[in-house]
Amino acid sequence: MTTTLPAFTPLEDSLWLTLCGRALDNRSPRPVLGDATSDQIVRTLDYDYKKLNIDTNFRLSVALRAKKLDRVVADFLVRHPDAVVLDLGVGLDTRHARLTVPATADWYDVDFPAVVAVRERLIPAQPNRHVISADVRDPGWLDAVPTGRPAVIVADGLMGFLSEDEMVSLWNRLISRFPSGEFVFNAYTRFAVWVARHARGTKSVAELMRFPGMDDPRVPEGWNPKLRLVREIVLSKEPEVAEFPAGWRLFQRIISHSTTLSRMASFVLHYRF
């Protein structure tokens, strides 16, 4: 039996790209992420994922960047088992299920009310996992989140939909809310934004993107004096590329020799405050 969902706005509808990318990765002979829960969600929904035109490159990129985001959050929870985790613009991501979350941590999934309503139908509740129905640009939602504890803030596919001013305001609110913490998210250069607007699989979503792209990962250090770049994770240089199909493995190995070319593909940025 399938579940029929209500119509989303175009912005809310963008969650299908990453969800289906993770599901298709799980169906591949050698999954990068192996997210069986996302695969099960897609199988139970009345949604034609084929219309998204997800190609091999996009599937691999979505799965690998999710794996790198997961790793940063997991490492933070090992060091701070009492942490607050914020998964912003969570969509139908199942990151909480992919990780071992200490009982002493509090996890908050944040997204638009319509998306949250669907999450609650499809994803079982877990102890210490909370759901906040809000637009992340609205400062009021943070009132529901405890302060005085270290926080790790993760966002997969969200930041491109915020203007630079909105992103700076959001980050400054988060930094002022917690005594310390880390940000990790997937990033886009100006060229990557241009490519997304012309590529078959991402063109419709890219038309919603408001962030112009960022060529220098140290730019956010100027947004707040507490912010410092920890690492730029260039996916083409990560060891999982060795497990890619031959053609895509060769492509990633070629572009890995140039940071500029690698950033044109996909990368993840990790900051500390």
Side-chain angles (χ1 to χ4, degrees):
M1 178 180 292
T2 60
T3 300
T4 302
L5 300 179
F8 286 147
T9 66
L11 186 55
E12 293 164 346
D13 213 39
S14 66
L15 67 84
W16 296 113
L17 269 175
T18 47
L19 174 68
C20 293
R22 294 189 299 271
L24 292 174
D25 168 71
N26 190 66
R27 300 177 197 180
S28 66
R30 304 177 78 172
V32 174
L33 182 64
D35 186 351
T37 306
S38 287
D39 192 2
Q40 183 59 34
I41 289 173
V42 170
R43 291 181 188 276
T44 62
L45 296 177
D46 184 19
Y47 187 81
D48 180 15
Y49 68 84
K50 293 180 181 178
K51 68 183 181 181
L52 298 175
N53 300 309
I54 294 175
D55 61 18
T56 300
N57 183 52
F58 185 82
R59 166 174 62 80
L60 293 169
S61 176
V62 164
L64 184 52
R65 84 188 193 198
K67 188 172 184 178
K68 296 305 167 180
L69 294 167
D70 286 0
R71 184 72 265 163
V72 172
V73 176
D75 289 346
F76 191 89
L77 288 172
V78 169
R79 290 180 280 117
H80 305 282
D82 63 335
V84 172
V85 183
L86 299 179
D87 199 336
L88 306 183
V90 64
L92 294 179
D93 201 337
T94 56
R95 180 170 291 106
H96 184 278
R98 295 195 297 266
L99 302 181
T100 300
V101 181
T104 48
D106 277 297
W107 187 293
Y108 292 83
D109 290 326
V110 186
D111 213 317
F112 294 114
V115 175
V116 165
V118 171
R119 278 189 69 84
E120 293 178 330
R121 289 169 57 187
L122 296 172
I123 301 174
Q126 296 289 334
N128 295 338
R129 182 172 65 81
H130 318 278
V131 183
I132 297 178
S133 301
D135 184 329
V136 297
R137 295 168 293 189
D138 177 4
W141 67 266
L142 266 173
D143 293 342
V145 179
T147 187
R149 294 157 60 183
V152 57
I153 299 114
V154 58
D156 188 354
L158 168 70
M159 296 307 188
F161 299 115
L162 304 179
S163 69
E164 184 169 339
D165 287 344
E166 289 168 341
M167 191 183 299
V168 172
S169 295
L170 173 61
W171 283 33
N172 282 331
R173 287 197 300 272
L174 291 165
I175 291 170
S176 65
R177 180 76 182 180
F178 303 103
S180 62
E182 296 179 11
F183 288 97
V184 62
F185 64 100
N186 67 300
Y188 309 88
T189 62
R190 293 177 185 275
F191 181 78
V193 171
W194 182 88
V195 169
R197 286 175 175 155
H198 294 81
R200 183 183 179 195
T202 56
K203 186 175 181 180
S204 61
V205 173
E207 290 173 352
L208 302 170
M209 295 181 72
R210 304 181 64 198
F211 192 68
M214 182 169 61
D215 296 333
D216 181 356
R218 292 199 174 274
V219 165
E221 292 182 334
W223 297 349
N224 189 293
K226 294 183 179 180
L227 205 57
R228 290 293 178 268
L229 177 68
V230 176
R231 184 187 172 201
E232 176 186 0
I233 305 172
V234 179
L235 299 189
S236 63
K237 299 181 181 181
E238 292 300 297
E240 289 86 354
V241 170
E243 303 300 318
F244 281 15
W248 290 107
R249 182 171 64 248
L250 177 61
F251 171 72
Q252 294 292 337
R253 289 308 187 204
I254 290 173
I255 68 172
S256 69
H257 294 290
S258 167
T259 299
T260 299
L261 290 176
S262 297
R263 287 175 178 166
M264 290 177 183
S266 188
F267 62 110
V268 169
L269 295 178
H270 178 194
Y271 298 87
R272 180 176 295 125
F273 63 90

